Structures are given as C-alpha cells and as structure tokens.
Amino acid sequence: APPLSRRARDVRSLNDPRRRGALVLLLGVFASYFAYSAAEAQFSSFATEFLGATPGSAGFTLAAASLAYVAWALPAGWLAKRFGELRVMIAGAAIGTVGLALAGLFVLDPRLLAAFLVMLGMAWAMLMVPGYPLVANQGGRTRIGFYTGLYYLFGAAASVVSPAVAGGAMDLIGDRALFGVAAAGMGVALAL
C-alpha cells in the first residue's frame, strides 16, 4: 500500500478496541500539554495585569516551574522505573491539578504562587519524562516512529489551542480564569 494509505490505516487503528488505551493515553497527553501550555503562555499577561508585576519579575516567577522541571526530571525517571510510567503520570497529573487549583485560590501572594509553580514543574516532569516512552512503546518496535509522531502531534496541537482558550477565558471571566482553565485541563489529563 502507498505510504499515505498506510498512515491513514495506522490512524484508523487507534479506534480498534485493542488500541483504545493508546488513544486515551494520547488524549491525556493532549490535556496535560493543554494545561501546561495555557499556564506558561498566559502567565506573563496574568502576572503583569493582575498582580502588577514587571515583565521581568513575571518571567522570574514562572522560572520556578522550569527549574523544578529540570530538578525533578531525573527523580521522575527513577520513580517511573520503580513504580511504573502510568502510576507516575497519574501522580503528576494529580499534583498538577492541585497545584494549579491552589494557585488560582492563593494568587495574590507571589511567594505562594511561586511554590505552586514549583509543584507544576514537578508535575510536568512526572508527566513528560515517562509519558514519551510510554506512548512510543504502544506499537512495539515496528511502530515507534508512528507513535512518536502522534505524541508530538497531540502535544503540539494542545500547545497551539490552549493559549487562545485560556486567553479567551481571561478576557471573558477575568485574569484568574487562567488557573481554572489550566487546572481543568490537568484534571482531564488525570481522569484520562
């Protein structure tokens, strides 16, 4: 079969009951990327408009999440090896959901906000470090490339959509909606 029809057949195979777990996992990847990308993309707007922070201090506060991700990446890999990728991803989604929801509640205190962003960075490491190999291995050795492509397709699609959704919610409801949107996305990832 021509390469394009093979790829179409591969995509249709995700609807096969034997592959539904892979589809649910990919939807979870979408939801977690949605949550993290929303928080990351709109945080500077939120911090400057709602908290009155300077752009530089907003970037510094958001760096707490990135630093926590870097610091937690190796422990997340060790935890995934010890307890299993899916369990670590579930724990990461739970930590991310709680951290984002609490950030929305305690948003007026920049120190608490930074602490919740640290939780978000840790959660992100627990989702991403085991997430990629778990998705890539869904099809065995012969389909690693296909599932790698799907992993990045779902993640990139979420990263494109979520800033607009979060920004729209912030325009309609107010700046605090950012954390509600992000927490909801992470909650969906947890459910999936």
Side-chain angles (χ1 to χ4, degrees), residues 88-157:
V88 171
M89 290 176 72
I90 290 168
I95 292 167
T97 302
V98 169
L100 287 164
L102 290 175
L105 294 174
F106 296 103
V107 77
L108 294 176
D109 185 336
R111 290 169 302 209
L112 278 176
L113 184 57
F116 296 130
L117 290 173
V118 166
M119 287 176 67
L120 178 60
M122 291 171 64
W124 191 235
M126 293 172 73
L127 284 159
M128 294 301 100
V129 170
Y132 168 72
L134 185 60
V135 170
N137 290 326
Q138 290 299 303
R141 288 184 176 195
T142 61
R143 301 183 75 203
I144 287 176
F146 173 68
Y147 280 96
T148 295
L150 286 177
Y151 175 87
Y152 287 108
L153 173 69
F154 276 70

Side-chain angles (χ1 to χ4, degrees), residues 32-139:
S32 61
Y33 265 93
F34 179 94
Y36 191 83
S37 296
E40 185 179 48
Q42 296 293 352
F43 184 79
S44 289
S45 294
F46 165 81
T48 54
E49 293 173 19
F50 188 78
L51 294 178
T54 65
S57 66
F60 184 75
T61 303
L62 184 60
S66 298
L67 290 172
Y69 173 82
V70 169
W72 199 246
L74 287 176
W78 178 82
L79 289 170
K81 184 177 180 182
R82 174 102 165 84
F83 299 107
E85 289 99 345
L86 193 56
R87 285 187 180 133
V88 171
M89 290 176 72
I90 290 168
I95 292 167
T97 302
V98 169
L100 287 164
L102 290 175
L105 294 174
F106 296 103
V107 77
L108 294 176
D109 185 336
R111 290 169 302 209
L112 278 176
L113 184 57
F116 296 130
L117 290 173
V118 166
M119 287 176 67
L120 178 60
M122 291 171 64
W124 191 235
M126 293 172 73
L127 284 159
M128 294 301 100
V129 170
Y132 168 72
L134 185 60
V135 170
N137 290 326
Q138 290 299 303

Side-chain angles (χ1 to χ4, degrees), residues 168-182:
M170 291 166 72
D171 287 344
L172 288 173
I173 301 168
D175 289 328
R176 283 184 123 159
L178 170 61
F179 292 106
V181 168

